Amino acid sequence: ENVDPQKTAFLLRKAWTLYSVTPLYRFHRSRLRDYARLLSAFIAAEKQKGLAVEVGVELDIKVAVSSLADLRGSEQDQAAVLVQLSLRSRVSSRNSEDKLVWLGWFCSVYGDDLSENMPEDFTCLPLFLTHGAESYTSMVGSWFQKTFDCCFRRLAISPLNLSWMVAMWTGCQLDRAASAVELVFSVPRLSQPLDISYAIHPEDAKALWDTVQKTPGEITQEEVDVFMDCLYAHFHRHFKIHLSAAKLVKVSTAVASAHCDGIVKILHSQYLSGVLMLLTELAISQIQ
Amino acid sequence: MDETVAEYIRRTVLKIPRDEIKTMLQKWGFLSEAQLQTLNFHQIKDNISQEVVQLCEENSADIKQAAVLDIIYNHIYQNKRMWSVYQMKKSGEELEYFDITDFKKKFKGRLRSALKNVTITFKEYEDNAIWIRVAWGTPYKKPNQYKPSYVVYHSQTPYVFISASVLKSNLPLLCQALIVASNYHDIREMELRSHSLNSLKDIVFKRYSQNFQTYYPKPVQGGSVEPESADIRIVQENRSEKERIHRLNQEVFGGGPQPKLEFAQYKLETMFKSDPKMGVLDKKEPFRCLVKFSSPHLLESLKSLAPAGMADAPLSPLLTCIPHKARNYFKIREKKGLFPESFVSP
């Protein structure tokens, strides 16, 4: 899949909040403009009901819904759907551009596990990513739920999945200088909460991973465990603290960063589909 | 009264929580009790501060007095600032009599000879602390009163606590003025930083309860680890282990409250070691890491790690040495014998 980097540039370096979405019923790609209008009306009605986001100046929300043909894994995947909310001031002059206030997109990257055996009326786009105010997310989510009888749930990322991510991403070969590989742990149940940030020089982390990973292109749970055990052991040697007993809450590499609350930042276009594939998989297992 | 002074006083008063304004103005002592009586403290802060400015106008306040109010505010809310610790060194052993007037004169003289535009204010407190506020200008600009540096100096000690302004370039000059004024010959920054000024003082003045080596270790008072469960069916299986951990913790941390630090940082440049059987990394170069611990009360949370089963007891000396080494920034390199226990394979 050759994804045009221009078209996907908007994905990078933004913090995306993740949701899993059950299949959409009777979603038609030919009707995207209609959906935009209906969603726009819905949002306007919600604001009039008093659930307004903005106070003060009356502002119009403009909705755009589009299809991103390149954003998919295989041909079996549905193309991604992008929803954009912009603010249009009533006093806008001809030159003023609409201000983008919220972005959300549905996608499926190698989501065959879900889409095979799915009846025709259903569109599988199990991963939903949002960037912008929670109130907008809530309105967009409500409309989709009502219109397509689907269900959104925040996607939590377990420490197990976070350790997969950090192992995988540490091994990625990058042409540019990489930032540190950082693991953030939290120890909440003490008398005073403790946070531990463990950052490793990217070259050293990659050197370690390269000796752990036996088959290129393949990663096993055992290899991830060995990698993590090595990091825990090195830490324990110095501080006598069992990091494995702490809660891994965030991992960060030059490729991407992920937080256990289901927030992800993709930093490098080179591994975009790899990251999305992993997230699609997580979304699907949350649905099933 | 200068407009800028009026504005500065207004903004300073605005920072103060409403319930504290009267007390702080009384501590300031610039407005008379009669004037303070005329103030209505039950209105919004905006109005209170306007009224205070008007009263200051009546008394013709200048920047010197305004600066004193600022010191008072920062003395009470000292924990809002980040403090670094500096240690001064004397060339000889002579214990000179400390003359505060001489100190002030030399300090001001040294700063003013280098920088014409500077506001210097002193305030002494009962605990022998001298608070110094310095607002920095340039040869062409008046001092920026909104970004001053604060210095706390206990004259009986070689320690100085500095909360530098954002303008770090003035730090060398500030340090120079300090050693000239206090008759020391050198000053160095310690690797110790925190928001809690008192905790920093506790650490360098050794005012916290330390682990004193006793030749006759007292037994832990009757199994004080956890309250006895009323239900006799519940038995502590590893009571002796819990008691051992508790005792070791006491030895290392002492029985009293710990100084309050928010973080510790370790730059590790040690080798990565592992069981050769695992077939993993065996480089000859260091495994470079940066580890940061953060907590509202770091030492207390470290102390609770072993009892919670999260760490071995005794805890690593890298952590337990923080108070008595008086540092929370470390660079750790591999050294022969750094870890006297032989490496144990995972």
Side-chain angles (χ1 to χ4, degrees):
Chain A
E1 4 67 24
N2 297 321
V3 189
D4 182 356
Q6 287 268 25
K7 297 216 184 102
T8 55
F10 78 95
L11 303 179
L12 302 181
R13 288 173 294 276
K14 278 193 180 71
W16 296 102
T17 307
L18 307 177
Y19 297 80
S20 64
V21 191
T22 55
L24 307 172
Y25 182 60
R26 294 219 173 130
F27 175 86
H28 301 291
R29 250 168 235 272
S30 51
R31 299 194 56 205
L32 294 185
R33 281 238 179 86
D34 290 338
Y35 296 151
R37 257 185 300 112
L38 291 169
L39 178 53
S40 182
F42 178 79
I43 292 176
E46 289 289 294
K47 283 160 89 127
Q48 292 202 321
K49 270 183 2 196
L51 300 171
V53 180
E54 303 294 326
V55 280
V57 181
E58 270 292 299
L59 295 162
D60 265 336
I61 294 285
K62 191 176 102 166
V63 178
V65 182
S66 53
S67 209
L68 297 171
D70 294 335
L71 214 49
R72 67 169 94 195
S74 66
E75 283 304 311
Q76 275 71 50
D77 286 318
Q78 290 281 337
V81 173
L82 175 66
V83 179
Q84 298 177 83
L85 264 51
S86 317
L87 224 46
R88 181 169 43 201
S89 165
R90 290 243 173 101
V91 293
S92 67
S93 65
R94 201 166 303 168
N95 293 333
S96 73
E97 267 182 27
D98 295 332
K99 183 174 155 214
L100 190 61
V101 291
W102 186 93
L103 278 175
W105 50 293
F106 298 82
C107 82
S108 173
V109 179
Y110 295 106
D112 307 339
D113 276 354
L114 187 65
S115 55
E116 62 190 6
N117 305 324
M118 189 61 62
E120 258 189 46
D121 283 336
F122 286 93
T123 306
C124 289
L125 288 165
L127 184 63
F128 184 51
L129 305 91
T130 70
H131 178 81
E134 165 67 31
S135 47
Y136 288 126
T137 307
S138 176
M139 286 193 271
V140 173
S142 301
W143 184 81
F144 270 87
Q145 282 187 158
K146 281 191 345 174
T147 315
F148 303 108
D149 201 20
C150 58
C151 180
F152 290 81
R153 264 178 65 198
R154 274 294 289 265
L155 186 62
I157 308 181
S158 66
L160 182 70
N161 287 316
L162 286 176
S163 48
W164 262 89
M165 289 176 188
V166 73
M168 256 179 22
W169 299 339
T170 298
C172 292
Q173 186 70 47
L174 289 172
D175 40 10
R176 277 183 278 145
S179 52
V181 171
E182 188 192 6
L183 298 94
V184 180
F185 296 83
S186 161
V187 190
R189 285 176 320 255
L190 303 171
S191 59
Q192 294 281 345
L194 180 66
D195 287 328
I196 303 174
S197 158
Y198 183 12
I200 304 137
H201 193 287
E203 285 168 16
D204 299 346
K206 182 163 192 321
L208 174 62
W209 174 249
D210 286 345
T211 63
V212 171
Q213 186 186 25
K214 303 298 178 211
T215 325
E218 250 183 57
I219 300 180
T220 66
Q221 181 63 55
E222 201 189 320
E223 287 164 352
V224 174
D225 290 342
V226 168
F227 180 68
M228 294 302 289
D229 284 342
C230 286
L231 296 180
Y232 293 148
H234 187 74
F235 192 90
H236 183 269
R237 182 161 90 86
H238 293 78
F239 301 105
K240 298 277 176 266
I241 296 176
H242 304 292
L243 265 188
S244 49
K247 183 178 179 210
L248 180 57
V249 297
K250 182 176 176 191
V251 298
S252 194
T253 67
V255 169
S257 69
H259 188 281
C260 63
D261 289 343
I263 301 173
V264 152
K265 222 184 219 184
I266 307 171
L267 301 162
H268 217 277
S269 57
Q270 203 176 339
Y271 292 94
L272 180 60
S273 62
V275 174
L276 292 177
M277 179 168 86
L278 180 57
L279 297 176
T280 305
E281 204 181 307
L282 288 184
I284 291 175
S285 40
Q286 185 165 279
I287 294 171
Q288 287 172 336
Chain B
M1 186 165 73
D2 194 319
E3 266 174 9
T4 55
V5 174
E7 179 63 9
Y8 184 68
I9 294 177
R10 189 186 75 82
R11 288 198 190 209
T12 307
V13 175
L14 271 180
K15 284 198 298 194
I16 310 171
R18 199 161 59 158
D19 306 332
E20 314 272 322
I21 297 180
K22 183 165 185 188
T23 332
M24 223 177 278
L25 292 177
Q26 282 171 329
K27 281 201 171 85
W28 189 29
F30 178 69
L31 300 174
S32 70
E33 192 58 42
Q35 283 175 309
L36 289 179
Q37 296 290 356
T38 69
L39 285 169
N40 173 11
F41 293 103
H42 298 295
Q43 48 183 336
I44 60 170
K45 279 208 297 189
D46 254 341
N47 295 349
I48 301 179
S49 59
Q50 294 286 12
E51 286 186 13
V52 170
V53 169
Q54 273 171 337
L55 291 176
C56 291
E57 177 86 55
E58 282 172 24
N59 293 11
S60 308
D62 64 20
I63 192 60
K64 286 203 205 37
Q65 281 106 10
V68 171
L69 180 61
D70 185 51
I71 288 193
I72 293 172
Y73 173 84
N74 280 282
H75 176 260
I76 295 177
Y77 294 102
Q78 53 192 238
N79 295 341
K80 285 192 183 225
R81 306 193 71 91
M82 177 68 90
W83 297 92
S84 303
V85 189
Y86 290 73
Q87 185 178 22
M88 297 191 287
K89 287 197 171 69
K90 261 205 208 307
S91 39
E93 278 300 318
E94 342 85 64
L95 272 173
E96 287 159 16
Y97 173 68
F98 180 77
D99 184 337
I100 180 87
T101 325
D102 188 51
F103 173 85
K104 289 183 190 176
K105 196 170 102 183
K106 285 195 181 140
F107 184 83
K108 281 193 285 199
R110 187 67 192 83
L111 277 188
R112 292 220 170 99
S113 66
L115 208 55
K116 200 172 50 153
N117 283 320
V118 66
T119 310
I120 307 168
T121 319
F122 298 89
K123 186 156 170 63
E124 293 147 71
Y125 282 91
E126 316 75 39
D127 57 346
N128 279 325
I130 303 166
W131 276 64
I132 313 172
R133 173 188 182 277
V134 183
W136 307 91
T138 71
Y140 312 104
K141 281 203 297 208
K142 278 173 58 169
N144 182 344
Q145 302 296 340
Y146 296 91
K147 291 191 174 151
S149 305
Y150 299 89
V151 177
V152 179
Y153 175 45
H154 285 252
S155 52
Q156 307 305 317
T157 78
Y159 295 104
V160 183
F161 306 89
I162 300 183
S163 179
S165 71
V166 191
L167 316 165
K168 288 223 162 64
S169 52
N170 293 309
L171 210 45
L173 180 56
L174 183 61
C175 289
Q176 236 187 25
L178 282 166
I179 50 181
V180 160
S182 56
N183 294 320
Y184 281 82
H185 85 276
D186 195 10
I187 182 169
R188 71 166 183 109
E189 185 178 358
M190 295 172 70
E191 299 285 357
L192 185 60
R193 262 155 251 157
S194 175
H195 281 282
S196 171
L197 180 58
N198 272 333
S199 292
L200 292 175
K201 291 187 191 183
D202 285 344
I203 291 174
V204 294
F205 301 154
K206 308 243 176 277
R207 299 191 304 209
Y208 60 98
S209 72
Q210 303 168 74
N211 50 318
F212 295 109
Q213 293 281 29
T214 53
Y215 290 106
Y216 303 99
K218 294 203 198 84
V220 174
Q221 257 84 322
S224 58
V225 175
E226 264 169 54
E228 287 283 350
S229 178
D231 191 331
I232 53 165
R233 291 174 297 177
I234 298 175
V235 167
Q236 288 277 17
E237 283 199 345
N238 54 351
R239 180 199 301 280
S240 60
E241 176 62 12
K242 277 193 150 73
E243 283 172 5
R244 183 189 78 92
I245 292 175
H246 183 76
R247 180 173 46 83
L248 284 171
N249 249 5
Q250 293 279 85
E251 277 175 22
V252 160
F253 287 98
Q258 300 296 312
K260 196 165 193 226
L261 293 173
E262 305 96 44
F263 50 83
Q265 183 175 295
Y266 297 81
K267 192 164 184 209
L268 302 180
E269 288 169 3
T270 50
M271 307 301 286
F272 179 83
K273 291 205 183 103
S274 73
D275 184 346
K277 276 188 287 175
M278 286 171 72
V280 295
L281 191 69
D282 184 27
K283 263 170 71 166
K284 298 292 175 269
E285 283 121 54
F287 193 67
R288 292 162 286 180
C289 306
L290 187 68
V291 174
K292 283 188 221 170
F293 295 88
S294 35
S295 167
H297 196 327
L298 181 67
L299 294 175
E300 282 295 334
S301 83
L302 292 178
K303 189 174 169 183
S304 60
L305 282 176
M310 296 275 317
D312 301 340
L315 202 56
S316 161
L318 287 183
L319 296 167
T320 56
C321 75
I322 292 173
H324 59 87
K325 280 229 164 105
R327 60 189 303 174
N328 58 356
Y329 282 77
F330 297 83
K331 210 179 210 176
I332 311 291
R333 290 214 181 88
E334 199 77 63
K335 201 164 63 168
K336 288 254 179 301
L338 178 66
F339 295 103
E341 71 273 23
S342 59
F343 174 76
V344 176
S345 57

